[in-house]
Amino acid sequence: MPETPEHEEQQESGTALEQRYGVPFVELSSFKIDSEVLQMFPERFLRDHNLIPLFRSGNTVAVAMADPGDIVTIDEVRRMTGMEVEPMVCRKLEIDGTLNQYYTSTETPDLPDEEEVLSLDDLPDEEDTRSEQGSEPRKLEELASEAPVVRWVNQMIIRAVRERASDIHIEPTREGLSVRFRIDGILHQIISPKKAMQLAVVSRIKIMSRMNIAEKRVPQDGRYGAIVDGREVDFRVSTFPSTYGETVVMRILDRLRLLSLDELGLIKERLKMMRDMIAMPHGVILVTGPTGTGKSTTVYAILGEIRSSSMKIITIEDPVEYDIDKITQSQVNELAGYTYLIGLKHILRQDPDAIMIGEIRDAETAGVAIRAALTGQLVFSTIHTNDAPGTITRLIDMGIEPFLVASATEGVVAQRLVRKICTKCKEEYEPPASLLEEIELPAGTMFYRGRGCDRCHNTGFHGRLGIFEVLKMNDRIRELVVTRPPTSAIRALAQEYGMKSLWRDGIDKVLDGITTIDEVMTEAEKLD
């Protein structure tokens, strides 16, 4: 009776297997498997692909494979985990035996059809879950690893990236599942899948993001990376329990969206003021505005401008959104007691030339940032205020002495985001005379708008850019700040030295045909 391939493999020595595949051989019977790494993969996937994860080191996961030359499977592991893969070789029979030790079921069920995969009937009731601890997570893993679910989630993500979405919103409703993309700041309904897809889709995303799929009662945060159209894209994932199940929001962090200062939308004189500020050897530079106005994008653009091999730049963020070369980045972990304040105090012992603080939230953090600037560091951060002059009075109201604010602050940049007119369907039009009179523009001034086309999803807009208010400190403004002036006094003096208001910057972009008057007036209403 001829020997089977498994018997031949069993006879082959570990050294021979190493020589055949060019990777280390591992004897699973004497190897302690990292159970946490094992839980990152559905049982069915491991059995179907004849592999078993061993351990992780940093951003690399080591896996034992019967065929480490199977690059398709290696790519799938890389995609599932968002980690680099270090393959090792072992015998298939040992993989089967090891998996049988960790899982009670040794049979791999046949792949069900799509209706079965997306059915909720197979999931245990809540009462059953209480009596069968651990059975639901395994069932969810199996559902989430089925081919139709994987394909559906992958296609949704690829479409979102290609359509320039900044976020994917997956929301359960009474009737079904709502999927919306946020494009240019506006949510668009994309598809409403059947209610039966809910658990499988959410579980798939939670597995990809390394979350606990059995926990559905509390919010969770996760993250993973993927290659879309040949480029690296990171996803920051958040789940939140709601009446009809968990909602999922996926923030898309596309490295191609990291902009330079020249791409932010700063008009020439504002851009020069910005570059003059960040060229200073020390001082505090703040970027301000409400949530969702592009402050982080501006700060990252500044860091990209100043980074060099001769500078030590350290950041403390919550969370780290983009990895940037030549910069030391750190993430707040409040559960572990690692706050902005604690991180900032330790950063000062690391001999930095420049520091970026994700956000100034309290007087203590503001105070340490000010002192760091006064002792020779260049400090960048964000803060929530309505405009640039109001940031100065906000710091004083937080309890920072006016002379410290005046001495340390080099400048403040306030910003908002407006949608850009789609260049494919852009058209000129004559606005009503009453509108021109209201906004103090001469009669006959022409505006622009987008008619709507396939490129812009019939919205008339494609992309966004900032409108800015840049306040650059000088001796006269510093002298004024020491007297605890009202915001209006700071604004009036700053305008004497070239500061243009957010409204004025918006009007300039309307006249240049970049955005519409409605976009600028909408943002102006938010300032009132």
Side-chain angles (χ1 to χ4, degrees), residues 156 362 517:
M156 175 193 67
D362 52 56
I517 187 63

Side-chain angles (χ1 to χ4, degrees), residues 356-407:
M356 190 275 271
I357 309 166
E359 182 182 350
I360 289 180
R361 298 176 178 173
D362 52 56
E364 285 186 302
T365 305
V368 176
I370 292 286
R371 288 194 294 275
L374 292 173
T375 55
Q377 278 81 36
L378 190 58
V379 180
F380 303 97
S381 190
T382 67
I383 191 169
H384 289 280
T385 59
N386 271 340
D387 56 18
T391 303
I392 303 297
T393 52
R394 170 67 176 143
L395 291 173
I396 296 172
D397 290 343
M398 291 172 74
I400 309 299
E401 289 294 335
F403 76 92
L404 292 177
V405 175
S407 300

Side-chain angles (χ1 to χ4, degrees), residues 196-225:
M197 291 186 68
Q198 180 176 329
L199 279 178
V201 168
V202 172
S203 296
R204 175 62 185 167
I205 293 171
K206 290 171 76 172
I207 288 172
M208 294 165 67
S209 307
R210 297 191 284 279
M211 296 182 190
N212 181 354
I213 63 172
E215 180 56 76
K216 294 177 282 188
R217 298 164 298 177
V218 298
Q220 295 187 65
D221 293 311
R223 187 169 184 153
Y224 74 97

Side-chain angles (χ1 to χ4, degrees), residues 78-79 82 84 154 156-166 224-235 252-259 322 462:
R78 184 181 293 114
R79 188 190 60 76
E84 293 302 315
N154 289 349
M156 175 193 67
I157 289 171
I158 291 170
R159 179 178 175 185
V161 173
R162 288 177 177 171
E163 294 192 12
R164 305 176 300 105
S166 61
Y224 74 97
I227 305 295
V228 179
D229 294 338
R231 66 182 190 264
E232 293 182 23
V233 181
D234 291 327
F235 298 85
I252 302 173
L253 304 171
D254 188 343
R255 290 174 183 264
L256 287 184
R257 291 186 187 158
L258 277 174
L259 304 179
Y322 295 96
H462 189 270

Side-chain angles (χ1 to χ4, degrees), residues 151-353:
R151 184 169 59 250
W152 190 92
V153 171
N154 289 349
Q155 289 174 347
M156 175 193 67
I157 289 171
I158 291 170
R159 179 178 175 185
V161 173
R162 288 177 177 171
E163 294 192 12
R164 305 176 300 105
S166 61
D167 302 85
I168 303 171
H169 289 246
I170 302 169
E171 301 156 322
T173 65
R174 183 189 298 273
E175 296 79 17
L177 195 63
S178 168
V179 177
R180 297 188 290 173
F181 293 169
R182 188 177 294 279
I183 302 172
D184 297 334
I186 306 297
L187 282 170
H188 298 265
Q189 185 71 43
I190 301 301
I191 192 171
S192 298
K194 296 178 181 178
K195 183 74 172 178
M197 291 186 68
Q198 180 176 329
L199 279 178
V201 168
V202 172
S203 296
R204 175 62 185 167
I205 293 171
K206 290 171 76 172
I207 288 172
M208 294 165 67
S209 307
R210 297 191 284 279
M211 296 182 190
N212 181 354
I213 63 172
E215 180 56 76
K216 294 177 282 188
R217 298 164 298 177
V218 298
Q220 295 187 65
D221 293 311
R223 187 169 184 153
Y224 74 97
I227 305 295
V228 179
D229 294 338
R231 66 182 190 264
E232 293 182 23
V233 181
D234 291 327
F235 298 85
R236 198 173 76 218
V237 185
S238 170
T239 65
F240 188 82
S242 72
T243 305
Y244 299 109
E246 290 179 287
T247 68
V248 180
V249 175
M250 306 172 69
R251 170 64 55 89
I252 302 173
L253 304 171
D254 188 343
R255 290 174 183 264
L256 287 184
R257 291 186 187 158
L258 277 174
L259 304 179
S260 68
L261 279 183
D262 294 303
E263 297 172 309
L264 294 177
L266 285 154
I267 292 175
K268 188 175 180 180
E269 58 268 26
R270 278 77 135 182
L271 182 59
K272 183 181 184 305
M273 291 173 71
M274 176 83 88
R275 285 202 161 105
D276 288 344
M277 289 191 300
I278 67 176
M280 301 297 290
H282 52 78
V284 175
I285 297 171
L286 297 173
V287 180
T288 187
T291 300
T293 53
K295 297 188 298 296
S296 295
T297 299
T298 298
V299 172
Y300 276 113
I302 292 171
L303 294 179
E305 180 101 353
I306 68 171
R307 64 177 174 167
S308 69
S309 57
S310 63
M311 286 193 72
K312 172 75 169 182
I313 303 174
I314 306 180
T315 76
I316 178 167
E317 307 171 57
D318 185 21
V320 173
E321 294 194 1
Y322 295 96
D323 294 327
I324 305 180
D325 295 336
K326 300 179 183 177
I327 293 178
T328 302
Q329 295 174 268
S330 177
Q331 181 162 316
V332 167
N333 185 344
E334 294 191 355
L335 291 177
Y338 181 44
T339 63
Y340 276 122
L341 182 60
I342 291 174
L344 183 52
K345 288 179 178 178
H346 285 273
I347 283 173
L348 296 176
R349 301 171 189 167
Q350 294 286 310
D351 187 30
D353 297 297

Side-chain angles (χ1 to χ4, degrees), residues 164 183-186 259 263-267 292-294 415-422 460-468 502-503 505-510 513-527:
R164 305 176 300 105
I183 302 172
D184 297 334
I186 306 297
L259 304 179
E263 297 172 309
L264 294 177
L266 285 154
I267 292 175
T293 53
Q415 67 180 74
R416 299 291 189 276
L417 287 177
V418 294
R419 291 181 291 173
K420 295 193 294 184
I421 298 171
C422 175
F461 298 98
H462 189 270
R464 291 192 292 176
L465 85 165
I467 57 174
F468 297 91
L502 287 162
W503 167 256
D505 193 44
I507 292 298
D508 287 344
K509 290 179 169 70
V510 170
I514 299 172
T515 190
T516 67
I517 187 63
D518 290 339
E519 283 288 292
V520 174
M521 292 185 77
T522 297
E523 290 302 320
E525 289 174 2
K526 296 176 184 177
L527 294 173

